[in-house]
């Protein structure tokens, strides 16, 4: 009888934990494992890399491309819209610049090994710019935010009025 009681407690704990995880508002599940041994999601911050490169300028704006890649061994996942909570740092010191977003926030794209994605950072050319060498951001899935903060490194300049575009297919 003692063994049945322990088994019942263990089962109840697992079920309550699963119910709590499913009920967490605003947090998207980044391709949860559906079977034992399934690959972890490429969307989780620890499972991808991001790099900042300069992109062609447009009328009155400088552009930078942030490209995300995932190595083999990770499961593809869906991303949508512009990253949120975007912050810029220079040699470890956070800049006072915040970023808005532009473009279609509802189109989903597939990200994973062999399927890089990117987003644009658009900086006004006529504003007072400050140097940065790192961007932090939170990715979005079609159904909410992906927990955790991703980071990209590379040289850029940002200014008041900086905007971040939606995630798109390709490097």
């Amino acid at each position: 009888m003692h063994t049945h009681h322990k088994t019942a407690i263990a089962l109840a704990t697992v079920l309550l934990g699963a119910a709590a995880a499913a009920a967490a508002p605003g947090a998207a599940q980044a391709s949860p494992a559906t079977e034992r041994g399934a690959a972890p999601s490429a969307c989780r911050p620890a499972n991808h890399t991001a790099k900042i490169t300069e992109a062609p300028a447009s009328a009155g704006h400088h552009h930078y491309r942030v490209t995300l890649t995932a190595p083999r061994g990770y499961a593809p996942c869906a991303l949508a819209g512009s990253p949120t909570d975007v912050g810029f740092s220079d040699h470890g010191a956070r800049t006072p610049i915040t970023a808005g977003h532009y473009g279609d926030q509802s189109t989903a794209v597939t990200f994973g090994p062999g399927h890089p994605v990117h987003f644009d950072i658009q900086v006004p050319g006529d504003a007072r710019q400050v140097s940065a060498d790192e961007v932090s951001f939170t990715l979005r899935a079609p159904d909410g935010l992906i927990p955790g903060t991703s980071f990209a490194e590379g040289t850029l300049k940002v200014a008041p009025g900086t905007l971040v575009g939606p995630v798109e297919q390709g490097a």
Side-chain angles (χ1 to χ4, degrees):
M1 185 103 160
H2 188 47
T3 303
H4 292 300
H5 182 65
K6 284 184 180 178
T7 303
I9 290 173
L11 181 58
T13 301
V14 168
L15 291 175
L16 285 173
Q29 293 296 320
S31 298
T34 56
E35 56 187 71
R36 189 173 288 277
S41 171
C43 285
R44 296 184 188 272
N47 300 343
H48 61 260
T49 60
K51 182 178 179 179
I52 305 164
T53 56
E54 192 166 353
S58 65
H61 294 93
H62 298 283
H63 291 268
Y64 300 92
R65 178 175 278 201
V66 178
T67 303
L68 284 73
T69 56
R72 290 181 193 207
Y74 293 101
C77 54
L79 296 173
S82 300
T84 63
D85 302 323
V86 177
F88 304 98
S89 298
D90 188 35
H91 299 291
R94 183 85 177 223
T95 70
I97 306 298
T98 58
H101 66 272
Y102 73 87
D104 181 5
Q105 299 298 304
S106 62
T107 301
V109 297
T110 299
F111 170 58
H115 299 282
V117 296
H118 71 274
F119 62 89
D120 177 59
I121 299 175
Q122 176 181 287
V123 182
D126 61 355
R128 185 179 174 114
Q129 298 180 354
V130 297
S131 295
D133 59 9
E134 182 179 74
V135 177
S136 60
F137 53 93
T138 302
L139 294 170
R140 290 182 37 212
D143 59 349
L145 297 178
I146 295 175
T149 302
S150 294
F151 295 90
E153 293 183 353
T155 302
L156 73 157
K157 291 190 180 269
V158 293
T162 295
L163 300 174
V164 176
V167 174
E168 299 178 7
Q169 290 292 160

